[in-house]
Amino acid sequence: MAENHPARSRGLALAVLCAASLMVVLDSSIVAVALPAIQADLGFTAAGLAWVVTAYLVAFGGLLLISGRLGDLLGRRRVFLGGLGLFTVASLIAGLASDAGVLIVSRFAQGVGGALASAVVLGMIVTMYPEPRARARAIGVYSFTQAAGASIGLIAGGALTQALSWHWTFYVNLPIGVVALVLAVRVVEADRGPGLRAGLDVLGAVLVTAAVMLGVYGISSYAWGALAAAAGLLAAFVVRQAKARTPLLPLRLFRIRAVTGANVVMVLMVAGMLGFQFVTALYLQQVLGLDALRTGVAFLPVPLVIAVASLGFAEKLAARFGPRAVLLSGLGLVIVGLLLLTQVSGGYFTGVLPPLLLMGLGAGAAIPALMGLAMSDVADGDAGVASGLINTTQQVGAAVGTAVLASVAASRTASLAPVDHREALAAGFRLAYGVSAGFLIAAVALGGLILARRPRPTPAVTAEPEVCVAGQA
């Protein structure tokens, strides 16, 4: 099929990869709306209920980097298919769960499968589309699934929980996963890696996996001991990568200014934008009084505007003005939207919707540019680990943003206790929007600085040693 209709086959392969990626992204938010129903049905305590989300995030965030490296070594399609299969089976078990422990274990397994599948997708797209214009369009499609997935998940979660039951927030993955598996075997071209004998830094994998898992857990649970341990493990991982003959994350990647800048921006951007979604869902329900389904529908304009921007004109803007300019301009629109929300006082249509539309427009332009920069100048042999890296920084940013903004909003509300409760809640959310804007302002400042210009080669860093190091990896 690929030989007779290469363009058609490549387009279908892109659709399969993006559909699977969207399913994984959806799962991080689709369950959020169903949590009250899950708690009532399975008898979760308030503390235990958080693990329905945390178990998934810990496994997913912790295994992205090693999953990307496994794709480079074993073949990205093989890792993708294995992860997608595990995710689909774990979704079935989660849907059938009648016990809290079974649900948490299955959520962890979903996270493992999701990490394996999603870590290699961007690397597969980059190698599948070597032409710059075609690659930019393909990354735009992929970026839409990443940017709009959380909003679509809130809509789907509310609809499924209200119309059927919470079990269907997991069952919905089954037809998507099975169809994606069947089509992927047919249309995604098989690739071969050098194999594990080429060198898998096992110690480095253990260090970074433990560091990210402890970090995500520590941030989401406010466990300072876990955060301190994560920092120590991360420092040990960096030392290990500098000394390892075949490192898990070659530090030479960070000599590529676009890669470094993109990952810094990703942490800060996602901290502001994913935290914003969490806060806005609470604002719509607790201040404006919307139910779960109407809260999901209220987010619908966001993925629609993101689709128009990322699929309609983001690639053309990047080709004309460069990805850096598009990235920073798009983030500027997001900042304006967040600053407008710091003054929000009206209803949905007059107070919330206009900033949402502005932010969707900015995100739809910025995210494809950011994804393209993250993979720019990366050798094919490192595409998997570079893809895993940008996904890892995305998850760290999501955990940081959600934890910080939830804490800021709660503290502000508590400090205004004598005031009307709804007004106190609104004041807390407005402050959280200001902090979100601060994350994005920092992203623009640091991104603009790091991505300002490419450094000229110096005698200390020449092409020849770089080739030697790459050969070792």
Side-chain angles (χ1 to χ4, degrees), residues 110-185:
Q110 275 189 305
V112 175
L116 289 166
S118 61
V120 296
V121 168
L122 187 56
M124 294 169 77
I125 292 173
V126 167
T127 55
M128 194 164 57
Y129 288 88
E131 312 91 350
R133 293 290 296 272
R135 175 183 292 184
R137 286 193 294 270
I139 289 178
V141 175
Y142 170 77
S143 299
F144 165 71
T145 67
Q146 297 294 297
S151 297
I152 296 173
L154 291 173
I155 299 168
L160 291 170
T161 302
Q162 197 155 315
L164 299 169
S165 71
W166 65 264
H167 300 273
W168 284 91
T169 61
F170 300 109
Y171 290 151
V172 71
N173 294 329
L174 302 182
I176 302 173
V178 170
V179 171
L181 275 169
V182 172
L183 289 178
V185 171

Side-chain angles (χ1 to χ4, degrees), residues 36-54:
I38 292 173
Q39 183 176 22
D41 196 13
L42 299 185
F44 273 99
T45 63
L49 186 65
W51 277 99
V52 177
V53 176
T54 304

Side-chain angles (χ1 to χ4, degrees), residues 178-226:
V178 170
V179 171
L181 275 169
V182 172
L183 289 178
V185 171
R186 296 188 59 188
V187 301
V188 177
E189 186 177 352
D191 60 321
R192 285 189 177 183
L196 294 179
R197 291 183 180 179
L200 177 63
D201 181 14
V202 177
L203 177 58
V206 171
L207 288 172
V208 74
T209 300
V212 176
M213 283 186 171
L214 279 172
V216 172
Y217 166 72
I219 292 167
S220 59
S221 303
Y222 306 103
W224 303 113

Side-chain angles (χ1 to χ4, degrees), residues 389-428:
L389 176 62
I390 195 66
N391 278 283
T392 300
T393 55
Q394 182 177 350
Q395 292 305 307
V396 171
V400 169
T402 302
V404 169
L405 296 186
S407 177
V408 165
S411 298
R412 176 62 173 162
T413 298
S415 70
L416 299 173
V419 180
D420 175 75
H421 182 60
R422 183 170 293 187
E423 179 54 38
L425 286 169

Side-chain angles (χ1 to χ4, degrees), residues 36-352:
I38 292 173
Q39 183 176 22
D41 196 13
L42 299 185
F44 273 99
T45 63
L49 186 65
W51 277 99
V52 177
V53 176
T54 304
Y56 178 85
L57 293 177
V58 165
F60 186 76
L63 294 171
L64 281 167
L65 199 55
I66 188 174
S67 297
R69 185 59 177 160
L70 285 173
D72 290 334
L73 295 176
L74 300 178
R76 294 178 197 120
R77 190 183 80 152
R78 180 183 299 177
V79 172
F80 172 77
L81 292 174
L84 185 57
L86 175 59
F87 184 89
T88 304
V89 171
S91 296
L92 174 61
I93 297 172
L96 294 171
S98 57
D99 175 79
V102 173
L103 181 59
I104 290 175
V105 171
S106 62
R107 287 288 286 164
F108 188 89
Q110 275 189 305
V112 175
L116 289 166
S118 61
V120 296
V121 168
L122 187 56
M124 294 169 77
I125 292 173
V126 167
T127 55
M128 194 164 57
Y129 288 88
E131 312 91 350
R133 293 290 296 272
R135 175 183 292 184
R137 286 193 294 270
I139 289 178
V141 175
Y142 170 77
S143 299
F144 165 71
T145 67
Q146 297 294 297
S151 297
I152 296 173
L154 291 173
I155 299 168
L160 291 170
T161 302
Q162 197 155 315
L164 299 169
S165 71
W166 65 264
H167 300 273
W168 284 91
T169 61
F170 300 109
Y171 290 151
V172 71
N173 294 329
L174 302 182
I176 302 173
V178 170
V179 171
L181 275 169
V182 172
L183 289 178
V185 171
R186 296 188 59 188
V187 301
V188 177
E189 186 177 352
D191 60 321
R192 285 189 177 183
L196 294 179
R197 291 183 180 179
L200 177 63
D201 181 14
V202 177
L203 177 58
V206 171
L207 288 172
V208 74
T209 300
V212 176
M213 283 186 171
L214 279 172
V216 172
Y217 166 72
I219 292 167
S220 59
S221 303
Y222 306 103
W224 303 113
L227 285 174
L233 289 170
L234 188 60
F237 170 72
V238 172
V239 173
R240 169 65 182 174
Q241 297 314 286
K243 295 182 177 180
R245 196 166 66 90
T246 55
L248 176 67
L249 176 61
L251 297 183
R252 66 175 181 276
L253 284 177
F254 295 104
R255 298 179 192 170
I256 305 174
R257 184 170 284 222
V259 174
T260 301
N263 279 276
V264 170
V265 171
M266 178 62 82
V267 171
L268 295 167
M269 182 190 74
V270 173
M273 293 183 62
L274 263 293
F276 141 81
Q277 285 196 328
F278 170 78
V279 169
T280 302
L282 293 178
Y283 180 88
L284 292 172
Q285 294 184 66
Q286 297 179 0
V287 177
L288 299 187
L290 303 186
D291 59 22
L293 180 58
R294 287 191 294 168
T295 296
V297 173
F299 276 97
L300 183 58
V302 178
L304 293 179
V305 175
I306 289 175
V308 170
S310 61
L311 306 180
F313 54 80
E315 173 260 328
K316 295 177 183 177
L317 289 176
R320 181 168 182 178
F321 300 106
R324 174 183 174 271
V326 175
L327 169 63
L328 299 180
S329 299
L331 293 181
L333 290 178
V334 176
I335 291 169
V336 172
L338 286 169
L339 292 176
L340 289 174
L341 284 172
T342 62
Q343 306 299 316
V344 65
S345 59
Y348 171 73
F349 289 102
T350 58
V352 178

